[in-house]
PDB file of all heavy atoms in Angstrom:
ATOM      1  N   GLN A  44     -53.121-123.853 -46.854  1.00 98.00           N
ATOM      2  CA  GLN A  44     -52.837-124.569 -45.588  1.00 98.00           C
ATOM      3  C   GLN A  44     -52.978-126.048 -45.675  1.00 98.00           C
ATOM      4  O   GLN A  44     -54.043-126.536 -46.185  1.00 98.00           O
ATOM      5  CB  GLN A  44     -53.815-124.113 -44.428  1.00 98.00           C
ATOM      6  CG  GLN A  44     -53.460-124.647 -43.057  1.00 98.00           C
ATOM      7  CD  GLN A  44     -54.301-124.046 -41.940  1.00 98.00           C
ATOM      8  OE1 GLN A  44     -55.457-123.778 -42.080  1.00 98.00           O
ATOM      9  NE2 GLN A  44     -53.681-123.823 -40.798  1.00 98.00           N
ATOM     10  N   GLU A  58     -56.147-126.135 -48.156  1.00 99.00           N
ATOM     11  CA  GLU A  58     -57.229-125.129 -48.203  1.00 99.00           C
ATOM     12  C   GLU A  58     -56.656-123.800 -48.799  1.00 99.00           C
ATOM     13  O   GLU A  58     -55.655-123.284 -48.201  1.00 99.00           O
ATOM     14  CB  GLU A  58     -57.882-124.928 -46.905  1.00 99.00           C
ATOM     15  CG  GLU A  58     -59.024-123.843 -47.011  1.00 99.00           C
ATOM     16  CD  GLU A  58     -59.771-123.610 -45.634  1.00 99.00           C
ATOM     17  OE1 GLU A  58     -59.486-124.309 -44.673  1.00 99.00           O
ATOM     18  OE2 GLU A  58     -60.590-122.670 -45.646  1.00 99.00           O
ATOM     19  N   LEU A  61     -57.359-116.744 -49.308  1.00 98.00           N
ATOM     20  CA  LEU A  61     -57.044-115.483 -50.084  1.00 98.00           C
ATOM     21  C   LEU A  61     -56.334-114.448 -49.240  1.00 98.00           C
ATOM     22  O   LEU A  61     -56.620-114.193 -48.136  1.00 98.00           O
ATOM     23  CB  LEU A  61     -58.420-114.937 -50.562  1.00 98.00           C
ATOM     24  CG  LEU A  61     -58.386-113.808 -51.548  1.00 98.00           C
ATOM     25  CD1 LEU A  61     -57.500-114.051 -52.752  1.00 98.00           C
ATOM     26  CD2 LEU A  61     -59.789-113.353 -51.955  1.00 98.00           C
ATOM     27  N   ARG A  62     -55.266-113.869 -49.900  1.00 98.00           N
ATOM     28  CA  ARG A  62     -54.525-112.847 -49.287  1.00 98.00           C
ATOM     29  C   ARG A  62     -54.557-111.530 -50.173  1.00 98.00           C
ATOM     30  O   ARG A  62     -54.452-111.708 -51.403  1.00 98.00           O
ATOM     31  CB  ARG A  62     -53.078-113.279 -49.091  1.00 98.00           C
ATOM     32  CG  ARG A  62     -52.975-114.396 -48.103  1.00 98.00           C
ATOM     33  CD  ARG A  62     -53.314-113.957 -46.663  1.00 98.00           C
ATOM     34  NE  ARG A  62     -53.235-115.082 -45.739  1.00 98.00           N
ATOM     35  CZ  ARG A  62     -54.326-115.707 -45.264  1.00 98.00           C
ATOM     36  NH1 ARG A  62     -55.501-115.412 -45.734  1.00 98.00           N
ATOM     37  NH2 ARG A  62     -54.248-116.705 -44.426  1.00 98.00           N
ATOM     38  N   ASP A  74     -61.245-111.731 -43.452  1.00 96.00           N
ATOM     39  CA  ASP A  74     -62.384-111.564 -42.614  1.00 96.00           C
ATOM     40  C   ASP A  74     -62.889-110.104 -42.735  1.00 96.00           C
ATOM     41  O   ASP A  74     -64.085-109.845 -42.511  1.00 96.00           O
ATOM     42  CB  ASP A  74     -61.991-111.768 -41.132  1.00 96.00           C
ATOM     43  CG  ASP A  74     -62.099-113.245 -40.796  1.00 96.00           C
ATOM     44  OD1 ASP A  74     -62.852-113.974 -41.523  1.00 96.00           O
ATOM     45  OD2 ASP A  74     -61.337-113.679 -39.876  1.00 96.00           O
ATOM     46  N   ASN A 117     -62.903-121.900 -50.458  1.00 98.00           N
ATOM     47  CA  ASN A 117     -63.995-121.261 -49.730  1.00 98.00           C
ATOM     48  C   ASN A 117     -64.926-120.554 -50.690  1.00 98.00           C
ATOM     49  O   ASN A 117     -64.516-119.833 -51.574  1.00 98.00           O
ATOM     50  CB  ASN A 117     -63.550-120.229 -48.722  1.00 98.00           C
ATOM     51  CG  ASN A 117     -62.791-120.950 -47.570  1.00 98.00           C
ATOM     52  OD1 ASN A 117     -63.411-121.621 -46.737  1.00 98.00           O
ATOM     53  ND2 ASN A 117     -61.464-120.798 -47.561  1.00 98.00           N
ATOM     54  N   ASP A 179     -68.462-125.829 -43.922  1.00 94.00           N
ATOM     55  CA  ASP A 179     -67.393-125.190 -43.117  1.00 94.00           C
ATOM     56  C   ASP A 179     -68.022-124.668 -41.785  1.00 94.00           C
ATOM     57  O   ASP A 179     -69.160-124.506 -41.686  1.00 94.00           O
ATOM     58  CB  ASP A 179     -66.930-124.000 -43.925  1.00 94.00           C
ATOM     59  CG  ASP A 179     -65.512-123.545 -43.609  1.00 94.00           C
ATOM     60  OD1 ASP A 179     -64.929-124.116 -42.666  1.00 94.00           O
ATOM     61  OD2 ASP A 179     -64.938-122.617 -44.263  1.00 94.00           O
ATOM     62  N   ASP A 180     -67.080-124.502 -40.777  1.00 91.00           N
ATOM     63  CA  ASP A 180     -67.472-123.929 -39.516  1.00 91.00           C
ATOM     64  C   ASP A 180     -68.637-124.631 -38.890  1.00 91.00           C
ATOM     65  O   ASP A 180     -69.515-124.089 -38.272  1.00 91.00           O
ATOM     66  CB  ASP A 180     -67.883-122.452 -39.655  1.00 91.00           C
ATOM     67  CG  ASP A 180     -66.799-121.622 -40.315  1.00 91.00           C
ATOM     68  OD1 ASP A 180     -65.639-122.086 -40.343  1.00 91.00           O
ATOM     69  OD2 ASP A 180     -67.091-120.490 -40.734  1.00 91.00           O
ATOM     70  N   LYS A 203     -63.270-124.371 -35.284  1.00 96.00           N
ATOM     71  CA  LYS A 203     -62.158-124.209 -34.385  1.00 96.00           C
ATOM     72  C   LYS A 203     -62.604-123.898 -32.997  1.00 96.00           C
ATOM     73  O   LYS A 203     -61.884-124.271 -31.986  1.00 96.00           O
ATOM     74  CB  LYS A 203     -61.264-122.993 -34.942  1.00 96.00           C
ATOM     75  CG  LYS A 203     -60.209-122.638 -34.024  1.00 96.00           C
ATOM     76  CD  LYS A 203     -59.423-121.448 -34.696  1.00 96.00           C
ATOM     77  CE  LYS A 203     -58.243-121.025 -33.777  1.00 96.00           C
ATOM     78  NZ  LYS A 203     -58.725-120.650 -32.398  1.00 96.00           N
ATOM     79  N   GLU A 239     -54.103-126.602 -32.729  1.00 98.00           N
ATOM     80  CA  GLU A 239     -52.890-125.884 -32.378  1.00 98.00           C
ATOM     81  C   GLU A 239     -51.897-126.618 -31.522  1.00 98.00           C
ATOM     82  O   GLU A 239     -50.737-126.227 -31.417  1.00 98.00           O
ATOM     83  CB  GLU A 239     -53.291-124.494 -31.773  1.00 98.00           C
ATOM     84  CG  GLU A 239     -54.103-123.605 -32.717  1.00 98.00           C
ATOM     85  CD  GLU A 239     -54.451-122.248 -32.090  1.00 98.00           C
ATOM     86  OE1 GLU A 239     -54.366-122.153 -30.842  1.00 98.00           O
ATOM     87  OE2 GLU A 239     -54.702-121.312 -32.851  1.00 98.00           O
ATOM     88  N   TYR A 258     -52.506-124.636 -36.988  1.00 98.00           N
ATOM     89  CA  TYR A 258     -51.150-124.197 -36.821  1.00 98.00           C
ATOM     90  C   TYR A 258     -50.178-125.256 -36.247  1.00 98.00           C
ATOM     91  O   TYR A 258     -48.998-125.179 -36.422  1.00 98.00           O
ATOM     92  CB  TYR A 258     -51.160-122.935 -35.883  1.00 98.00           C
ATOM     93  CG  TYR A 258     -51.844-121.725 -36.469  1.00 98.00           C
ATOM     94  CD1 TYR A 258     -52.130-120.647 -35.566  1.00 98.00           C
ATOM     95  CD2 TYR A 258     -52.292-121.650 -37.785  1.00 98.00           C
ATOM     96  CE1 TYR A 258     -52.757-119.473 -36.129  1.00 98.00           C
ATOM     97  CE2 TYR A 258     -52.831-120.527 -38.292  1.00 98.00           C
ATOM     98  CZ  TYR A 258     -53.115-119.440 -37.461  1.00 98.00           C
ATOM     99  OH  TYR A 258     -53.779-118.358 -37.958  1.00 98.00           O
TER     100      TYR A 258
HETATM  101  P1  C2E B 321     -62.130-120.218 -42.654  1.00 67.51           P
HETATM  102  O1  C2E B 321     -62.568-120.794 -43.997  1.00 67.51           O
HETATM  103  O2  C2E B 321     -62.804-120.843 -41.453  1.00 67.51           O
HETATM  104  O3  C2E B 321     -60.536-120.497 -42.640  1.00 67.51           O
HETATM  105  C1  C2E B 321     -59.817-120.790 -41.471  1.00 67.51           C
HETATM  106  C2  C2E B 321     -59.200-119.581 -40.923  1.00 67.51           C
HETATM  107  O4  C2E B 321     -58.535-119.913 -39.740  1.00 67.51           O
HETATM  108  C3  C2E B 321     -58.066-118.990 -41.836  1.00 67.51           C
HETATM  109  O5  C2E B 321     -58.012-117.590 -41.628  1.00 67.51           O
HETATM  110  C4  C2E B 321     -56.813-119.700 -41.259  1.00 67.51           C
HETATM  111  O6  C2E B 321     -55.624-119.040 -41.626  1.00 67.51           O
HETATM  112  C5  C2E B 321     -57.145-119.732 -39.846  1.00 67.51           C
HETATM  113  N1  C2E B 321     -56.440-120.854 -39.110  1.00 67.51           N
HETATM  114  C6  C2E B 321     -56.083-122.051 -39.609  1.00 67.51           C
HETATM  115  N2  C2E B 321     -55.569-122.805 -38.640  1.00 67.51           N
HETATM  116  C7  C2E B 321     -55.544-122.058 -37.518  1.00 67.51           C
HETATM  117  C8  C2E B 321     -55.195-122.338 -36.197  1.00 67.51           C
HETATM  118  O7  C2E B 321     -54.632-123.423 -35.797  1.00 67.51           O
HETATM  119  N3  C2E B 321     -55.391-121.359 -35.290  1.00 67.51           N
HETATM  120  C9  C2E B 321     -55.883-120.082 -35.695  1.00 67.51           C
HETATM  121  N4  C2E B 321     -56.126-119.221 -34.665  1.00 67.51           N
HETATM  122  N5  C2E B 321     -56.344-119.847 -36.872  1.00 67.51           N
HETATM  123  C10 C2E B 321     -56.141-120.846 -37.796  1.00 67.51           C
HETATM  124  P2  C2E B 321     -57.930-116.507 -42.776  1.00 67.51           P
HETATM  125  O8  C2E B 321     -57.024-117.018 -43.806  1.00 67.51           O
HETATM  126  O9  C2E B 321     -57.646-115.232 -42.176  1.00 67.51           O
HETATM  127  O10 C2E B 321     -59.377-116.559 -43.356  1.00 67.51           O
HETATM  128  C11 C2E B 321     -60.479-116.192 -42.586  1.00 67.51           C
HETATM  129  C12 C2E B 321     -61.827-116.437 -43.282  1.00 67.51           C
HETATM  130  O11 C2E B 321     -61.893-115.720 -44.500  1.00 67.51           O
HETATM  131  C13 C2E B 321     -61.951-117.887 -43.727  1.00 67.51           C
HETATM  132  O12 C2E B 321     -62.374-118.634 -42.639  1.00 67.51           O
HETATM  133  C14 C2E B 321     -63.021-117.769 -44.869  1.00 67.51           C
HETATM  134  O13 C2E B 321     -64.294-117.725 -44.227  1.00 67.51           O
HETATM  135  C15 C2E B 321     -62.630-116.415 -45.411  1.00 67.51           C
HETATM  136  N6  C2E B 321     -61.862-116.655 -46.621  1.00 67.51           N
HETATM  137  C16 C2E B 321     -60.552-116.863 -46.890  1.00 67.51           C
HETATM  138  N7  C2E B 321     -60.260-117.062 -48.171  1.00 67.51           N
HETATM  139  C17 C2E B 321     -61.468-116.936 -48.853  1.00 67.51           C
HETATM  140  C18 C2E B 321     -61.785-117.071 -50.183  1.00 67.51           C
HETATM  141  O14 C2E B 321     -61.028-117.275 -51.109  1.00 67.51           O
HETATM  142  N8  C2E B 321     -63.181-116.956 -50.534  1.00 67.51           N
HETATM  143  C19 C2E B 321     -64.069-116.726 -49.531  1.00 67.51           C
HETATM  144  N9  C2E B 321     -65.390-116.563 -49.908  1.00 67.51           N
HETATM  145  N10 C2E B 321     -63.820-116.642 -48.233  1.00 67.51           N
HETATM  146  C20 C2E B 321     -62.445-116.722 -47.895  1.00 67.51           C
END
Side-chain angles (χ1 to χ4, degrees):
Q44 188 174 36
E58 177 177 356
L61 185 56
R62 297 293 177 257
D74 278 334
N117 292 290
D179 206 356
D180 304 345
K203 176 181 179 302
E239 292 181 346
Y258 294 169

